[in-house]
Amino acid sequence: MFTPALPRFGPQGPFPHAPLAHPLDRKWLHYAFLSRCGRQALIANLSVLGSSTGTVFADPGAPATGRRSGTGTAAEGQHMAILLLYGEGQGWSATQFNAEQPELPWSAFRLPYPHGEPRAFRVAARSAAPAADVRLIRTSRPCTSQCAPFGDDEHLRWQSEPGVLGTGTLRHGDGTAIRTDLLGYHERVRGRWSWPTLGGWVFGFVNDPSGPADQAPPSAVVFTLIQPAYPADAANGSVMLWRDGRMIRHFPRRNLRVAVSGRLDRDRVAMVPPLAGLLGTPPMAAVPGRLLITARLGDDRLVLDFRSHTAGRIANPSETSLHPFSVHETLGPCTVEGRVGGRRIGFHTGGIVEFAGGARD
């Protein structure tokens, strides 16, 4: 009996099968998780930067041939990977930018894995610690892809999915291995930009952990604020609300108000990766102690109130200047309240916020 092949829609990998044709073309996968107990955090970035050769790069959907070491040849572009772990009692630990990762890492955007089907996600330092060995499960659907143009010919495109569940072992830099349940977020980013022109961003997410542990969070919120150096009106951002795994509201940038106050004690900030000091990293800008975002659209209103508790400062080398670009992965309590679609929303839990910036021409 003849069975016709099922049609395939969209790319088979997390990204379209298109070469990185410019030295500043780049793509990355971002993972961020908090333990349900609130005492552990996992953050990972897996990225590829374009090559000056303009060569067609390896197909991300090609069959796996082994573990990628974290560096690539000129033909593939520059592969980088970094893992950060935080634990109460262990503090922050991080790999270098050459963390070992699977050839084809887990992604909600790989012809997305069926909901409820766990898949392995492993990232580790070449010295074996820190390391993460977890199994991830999707419970939600992603938002539509968003794009922020800026500079002369630069842009950043991203797509988000909260409500990702995880179970597994985190091995901290001091060797402590902790088995934990995780609730987090996954994102893919691609585009063409230099760090000075990008300017900076504020990004974060929060999942309501009050629902059943094996289902989508009752509510989840993701927000972004891109702050390019120029043009003056190029700021882009949004607040998005998910309910039971489905995105139900998108508040565009013009409907947002963002305010910060205070600052996080510098003693609560750890600089990573371990070799970051060799970049001649200048003193960091202060991390806000409090972030307040208010979104309004018609009768809908949503307020996020985040308080910084601790941060890991990732010092990223800049391809076009001598000044590194800093990404502060900040952990702390977050309160969400409001009314959307006639239903009240209110919960208090831990969140992760990125405060990024620092590079200059």
Side-chain angles (χ1 to χ4, degrees):
M1 178 179 178
F2 173 74
T3 302
L6 294 175
R8 291 179 175 178
F9 301 101
Q12 293 188 42
F15 299 99
H17 302 328
L20 301 179
H22 187 276
L24 294 178
D25 282 353
R26 63 184 81 212
K27 56 188 179 183
W28 74 46
L29 299 175
H30 177 72
Y31 309 79
F33 294 87
L34 290 167
S35 63
R36 288 187 176 272
C37 66
R39 296 190 291 270
Q40 305 288 320
L42 179 164
I43 299 166
N45 286 323
L46 315 180
S47 62
V48 184
L49 175 68
S51 164
S52 60
T53 63
T55 308
V56 175
F57 305 106
D59 184 350
T65 57
R67 294 178 61 83
R68 188 182 298 281
S69 65
T71 59
T73 66
E76 295 177 317
Q78 178 65 37
H79 290 261
M80 302 175 72
I82 185 170
L83 169 70
L84 281 74
L85 296 182
Y86 175 80
E88 289 190 4
Q90 293 80 34
W92 289 92
S93 57
T95 69
Q96 307 291 356
F97 282 114
N98 63 348
E100 292 194 351
Q101 57 172 301
E103 183 77 14
L104 298 176
W106 184 95
S107 176
F109 305 104
R110 163 176 290 284
L111 283 179
Y113 295 131
H115 287 68
E117 180 179 315
R119 295 292 183 98
F121 176 70
R122 301 182 181 93
V123 181
R126 298 176 70 85
S127 60
D133 185 354
V134 298
R135 296 182 70 80
L136 302 180
I137 303 174
R138 303 178 66 221
T139 66
S140 304
R141 303 290 180 179
C143 70
T144 56
S145 182
Q146 302 175 70
C147 186
F150 50 85
D152 296 319
D153 185 27
E154 300 186 20
H155 69 281
L156 182 151
R157 183 183 297 275
W158 70 96
Q159 192 172 17
S160 311
E161 183 172 319
V164 181
L165 308 181
T167 302
T169 300
L170 308 182
R171 184 176 298 277
H172 293 271
D174 63 1
T176 303
I178 297 177
R179 185 165 182 82
T180 187
D181 292 331
L182 303 166
L183 176 58
Y185 166 92
H186 177 48
E187 178 183 60
R188 63 175 174 179
V189 182
R190 64 186 188 276
R192 176 181 300 176
W193 69 87
S194 58
W195 294 121
T197 305
L198 178 58
W201 71 74
V202 180
F203 149 84
F205 78 92
V206 58
N207 288 301
D208 180 358
S210 65
D214 60 347
Q215 296 180 21
S219 299
V221 180
V222 176
F223 61 86
T224 55
L225 176 65
I226 312 299
Q227 301 173 303
Y230 67 95
D233 61 351
N236 292 268
S238 64
V239 168
M240 295 169 287
L241 171 67
W242 276 256
R243 181 177 290 153
D244 298 324
R246 299 279 185 171
M247 195 184 84
I248 64 167
R249 190 68 75 246
H250 179 279
F251 297 90
R253 175 68 182 93
R254 64 180 178 273
N255 294 95
L256 309 182
R257 290 188 177 182
V258 181
V260 296
S261 65
R263 61 181 59 189
L264 179 63
D265 188 328
R266 290 177 185 266
D267 290 339
R268 290 182 172 270
V269 181
M271 188 167 71
V272 297
L275 293 178
L278 299 181
L279 295 173
T281 310
M284 64 183 181
V287 176
R290 182 181 183 186
L291 171 68
L292 187 68
I293 299 178
T294 302
R296 293 179 181 271
L297 184 61
D299 294 331
D300 294 340
R301 178 177 179 270
L302 199 61
V303 178
L304 296 90
D305 190 352
F306 175 82
R307 310 292 179 113
S308 301
H309 174 70
T310 183
R313 179 194 183 192
I314 306 175
N316 292 276
S318 173
E319 299 84 7
T320 57
S321 82
L322 296 177
H323 299 277
F325 185 87
S326 294
V327 179
H328 296 87
E329 303 285 359
T330 308
L331 312 179
C334 185
T335 300
V336 177
E337 60 180 14
R339 181 174 292 275
V340 175
R343 289 175 54 181
R344 182 185 175 277
I345 296 171
F347 62 94
H348 179 81
T349 188
I352 298 180
V353 173
E354 288 185 352
F355 297 100
R360 308 189 298 275
D361 287 322

